[in-house]
């Protein structure tokens, strides 16, 4: 029988690597708390229409990367529904914002999420079909200040802090403005005109995009198209006064806070909902998939999916890529698995039950404990213990009746007799 394997583009995460994942998530939660963000958990699948309308039909994500299926009706009263595994989480958060009328509080909503996303991409290092994102959104009615450039700068400053605290060294922040919806419409016209004489020499995707949504030509990754793309007009020249003022204010606040950025006029991001500020943090150590995180403003997204006016800004960072970056930085991460405080070695199967009782006492006392098995010979117990624990506790008939246990410290090689009542304290030191 053929062996079953994890599906292409998905993978199992195993210890000790998962402890690095947990460390990153713990740091993220701690930083989000300091910036007063609360956690939101939305479903892993949504109505397909949410992504079609929210992310945009012509984006790569919606046009070719979604895992979509027809959910059959199970009763005459039900209708079949097209469902999709979420390819990103912003649309889901904004859907929840609308559904729960969060805007009616009049306050800014500051929400973060941590969870898996799904895209049917060509798998390679740093690119998976199930991958994890940590993201956050600041969204609310304009009266709550949701359009203020201060919000953009604060999110970017938080990201700089977050990456620093996670220990990611040497990141670069790239910044741009894609303007308001009206600016983008103007830029799309400009691009359409500029593309007319050259598009015949470009890839088929670009030929289609040039007609349907010229902005998406800038997402093209085909190497032969890049020299042509480099000659196209930049969006900065299509921005109106308001949009220019907005990005200038973001830059001014970042300068004041000492957050370093570079301007990238080609950074338009692959999702249709972005307006004004767009950004990406990249890292040289990641190779071709060098974006650790991306985000931007989405002032019209709520209205696009049937909600009230609710400007917002957010980002999503790839947890898989954070892990790859940190692993490259700390190459010893894998070779040194964490050790538990003690390994309990019962000397004989008759002592197994007493060993479990002792393990329970120590664990309740806050120690990490690995429990051996009395069917092991003493030599095997020592070998097993040496691999996983700092100390071994021997539990034989004598130890059980006398209440004096034998403890060996592997680092120093010393053996000590310890009364059971003092054992927890002894092992902690
Ligand atoms: P995006 O919404 O495409 O801008 O994605 C935001 C971040 O998620 C990227 O910067 C990556 O770090 C991460 N990401 C996106 N797609 C994938 C993928 N297929 N595999 C791993 N990480 C991804």
């Amino acid at each position: 029988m053929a062996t079953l394997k994890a599906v292409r583009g998905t993978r199992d995460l195993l210890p000790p690597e998962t402890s690095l994942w947990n460390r990153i998530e713990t740091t993220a939660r701690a930083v989000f708390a300091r910036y007063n963000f609360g956690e939101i958990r939305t479903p892993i699948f949504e109505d397909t229409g949410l992504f079609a309308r929210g992310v945009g039909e012509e984006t790569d994500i919606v046009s070719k990367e979604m895992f979509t299926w027809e959910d059959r009706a199970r009763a005459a009263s039900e209708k079949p529904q097209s469902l999709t595994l979420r390819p990103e989480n912003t649309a889901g958060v904004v859907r929840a914002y609308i559904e729960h009328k969060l805007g009616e509080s009049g306050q800014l909503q500051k929400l973060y999420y941590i969870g898996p996303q799904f895209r049917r991409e060509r798998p390679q290092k740093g690119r998976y079909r199930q991958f994890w994102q940590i993201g956050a959104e600041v969204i609310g009615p304009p009266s709550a200040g949701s359009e203020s450039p201060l919000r953009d700068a604060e999110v970017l400053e938080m990201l700089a802090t977050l990456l620093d605290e996670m220990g990611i060294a040497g990141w670069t922040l790239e910044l741009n403005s894609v303007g308001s919806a009206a600016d983008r419409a103007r830029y799309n016209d400009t691009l359409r005109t500029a593309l007319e004489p050259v598009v015949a020499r470009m890839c088929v995707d670009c030929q289609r995009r040039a007609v349907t949504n010229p902005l998406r030509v800038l997402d093209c990754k085909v190497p032969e198209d890049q020299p042509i793309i480099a000659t196209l007009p930049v969006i900065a020249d299509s921005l109106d006064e308001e949009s220019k003022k907005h990005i200038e204010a973001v830059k001014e606040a970042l300068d004041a806070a000492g957050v370093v950025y570079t301007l990238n006029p080609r950074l338009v991001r692959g999702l249709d909902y972005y307006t004004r500020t767009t950004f990406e943090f990249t890292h040289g150590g990641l190779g071709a998939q060098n974006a650790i995180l991306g985000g931007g403003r989405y002032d019209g997204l709520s209205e696009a999916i049937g909600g009230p006016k609710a400007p917002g800004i957010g980002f999503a960072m790839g947890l898989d890529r954070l892990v790859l970056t940190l692993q490259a930085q700390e190459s010893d991460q894998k070779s040194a698995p964490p050790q538990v405080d003690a390994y309990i070695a019962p000397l004989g199967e008759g002592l197994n039950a007493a060993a479990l009782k002792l393990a329970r006492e120590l664990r309740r006392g806050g120690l990490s404990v690995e429990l051996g098995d009395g069917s092991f010979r003493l030599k095997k117990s020592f070998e097993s213990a040496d691999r996983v624990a700092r100390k071994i506790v021997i539990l034989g008939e004598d130890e059980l009746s006398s209440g004096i246990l034998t403890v060996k410290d592997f680092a120093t090689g010393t053996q000590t007799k310890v009364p059971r009542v003092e054992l927890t304290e002894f092992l902690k030191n």
Side-chain angles (χ1 to χ4, degrees):
M1 198 164 63
T3 46
L4 291 169
K5 291 195 170 151
V7 173
R8 187 169 136 82
T10 73
R11 63 216 173 104
D12 303 306
L13 305 169
L14 306 172
E17 189 184 291
T18 35
S19 72
L20 182 54
W21 287 70
N22 282 324
R23 201 177 85 200
I24 295 171
E25 291 174 20
T26 303
T27 306
R29 288 179 196 280
V31 171
F32 287 139
R34 291 197 331 253
Y35 286 76
N36 196 26
F37 280 75
E39 183 177 4
I40 181 169
R41 301 188 190 194
T42 65
I44 276 173
F45 55 88
E46 299 265 4
D47 191 297
T48 304
L50 174 65
F51 305 113
R53 282 157 65 192
V55 178
E57 300 270 15
E58 189 52 42
T59 60
D60 279 354
I61 294 179
V62 173
S63 65
K64 42 188 177 198
E65 295 171 0
M66 296 204 303
F67 288 96
T68 297
W69 71 100
E70 196 67 16
D71 199 49
R72 280 170 295 141
R74 298 190 55 187
S77 57
E78 281 182 8
K79 283 203 195 95
Q81 192 180 10
S82 177
L83 301 178
T84 293
L85 289 180
R86 61 184 188 195
E88 58 91 62
N89 219 156
T90 299
V93 172
V94 176
R95 194 240 341 111
Y97 172 93
I98 298 166
E99 188 169 334
H100 303 287
K101 300 186 169 50
L102 300 182
E104 288 181 8
S105 70
Q107 303 289 314
L108 271 187
Q109 301 295 310
K110 299 167 73 173
L111 303 165
Y112 79 87
Y113 57 83
I114 299 179
Q117 317 293 338
F118 306 84
R119 295 183 194 172
R120 201 200 263 107
E121 297 196 82
R122 197 168 47 76
Q124 64 182 84
K125 188 174 178 213
R127 191 158 76 189
Y128 311 99
R129 290 182 168 184
Q130 172 170 339
F131 58 99
W132 271 257
Q133 285 185 334
I134 300 178
E137 317 291 347
V138 181
I139 179 171
S143 60
S146 56
E147 282 176 298
S148 166
L150 178 59
R151 301 279 76 94
D152 308 39
E154 189 186 22
V155 164
L156 290 165
E157 186 279 322
M158 174 173 79
L159 282 167
T161 299
L162 189 50
L163 292 178
D164 287 346
E165 293 195 11
M166 284 174 180
I168 305 276
W171 49 260
T172 305
L173 163 56
E174 296 185 21
L175 188 63
N176 190 27
S177 173
V178 295
S180 63
D183 297 337
R184 286 181 47 165
R186 212 168 26 246
Y187 182 55
N188 258 331
D189 287 342
T190 308
L191 272 184
R192 200 172 275 123
T193 311
L195 281 165
E196 257 165 35
V198 292
V199 76
R201 287 186 275 131
M202 300 182 80
C203 70
V204 285
D205 280 341
C206 282
Q207 298 190 7
R208 193 191 63 246
R209 293 167 177 143
V211 180
T212 56
N213 191 349
L215 189 71
R216 296 271 71 93
V217 167
L218 303 188
D219 298 337
C220 177
K221 299 275 171 357
V222 176
E224 295 75 29
D225 287 0
Q226 300 311 310
I228 300 176
I229 292 172
T231 65
L232 295 173
V234 294
I235 197 160
D237 297 330
S238 295
L239 299 190
D240 67 10
E241 280 313 308
E242 277 299 298
S243 294
K244 281 186 192 154
K245 250 173 62 190
H246 196 274
I247 186 71
E248 283 311 315
V250 176
K251 284 156 57 184
E252 191 188 331
L254 287 177
D255 291 339
V259 177
V260 179
Y261 54 86
T262 57
L263 297 173
N264 176 356
R266 303 266 166 212
L267 184 70
V268 294
R269 315 260 311 119
L271 297 81
D272 271 354
Y273 53 60
Y274 286 112
T275 51
R276 295 189 177 166
T277 310
T278 53
F279 55 85
E280 242 167 49
F281 283 70
T282 57
H283 195 279
L286 281 166
Q289 305 302 318
N290 70 348
I292 319 178
L293 72 91
R297 221 168 226 295
Y298 43 84
D299 293 344
L301 176 55
S302 172
E303 288 144 294
I305 57 175
K309 190 169 166 61
I313 178 159
F315 65 85
M317 53 169 83
L319 198 38
D320 307 73
R321 294 188 194 170
L322 288 171
V323 169
L324 283 173
T325 308
L326 287 174
Q327 279 174 338
Q329 279 174 212
E330 314 164 16
S331 48
D332 57 345
Q333 189 72 29
K334 270 194 182 143
S335 57
Q339 293 207 307
V340 298
D341 296 314
Y343 181 103
I344 298 178
L347 300 184
E349 283 176 72
L351 289 152
N352 276 355
L356 178 66
K357 180 167 182 277
L358 179 62
R360 176 170 159 92
E361 278 168 30
L362 299 182
R363 286 167 174 156
R364 289 199 157 206
L367 292 163
S368 54
V369 173
E370 187 59 69
L371 182 56
D373 189 311
S375 67
F376 290 179
R377 282 206 303 270
L378 193 58
K379 184 161 175 281
K380 179 167 178 192
S381 288
F382 265 89
E383 282 167 5
S384 304
D386 197 15
R387 271 199 292 274
V388 299
R390 280 186 281 279
K391 297 190 180 84
I392 183 168
V393 179
I394 314 285
L395 182 67
E397 291 292 352
D398 290 351
E399 282 84 0
L400 191 60
S401 54
S402 68
I404 309 283
L405 294 138
T406 307
V407 180
K408 182 174 174 183
D409 185 323
F410 288 116
T412 60
T414 49
Q415 205 152 300
T416 319
K417 300 271 183 205
V418 186
R420 186 161 178 155
V421 287
E422 293 169 20
L423 188 61
T424 302
E425 275 318 302
F426 180 85
L427 292 172
K428 277 187 181 163
N429 297 324

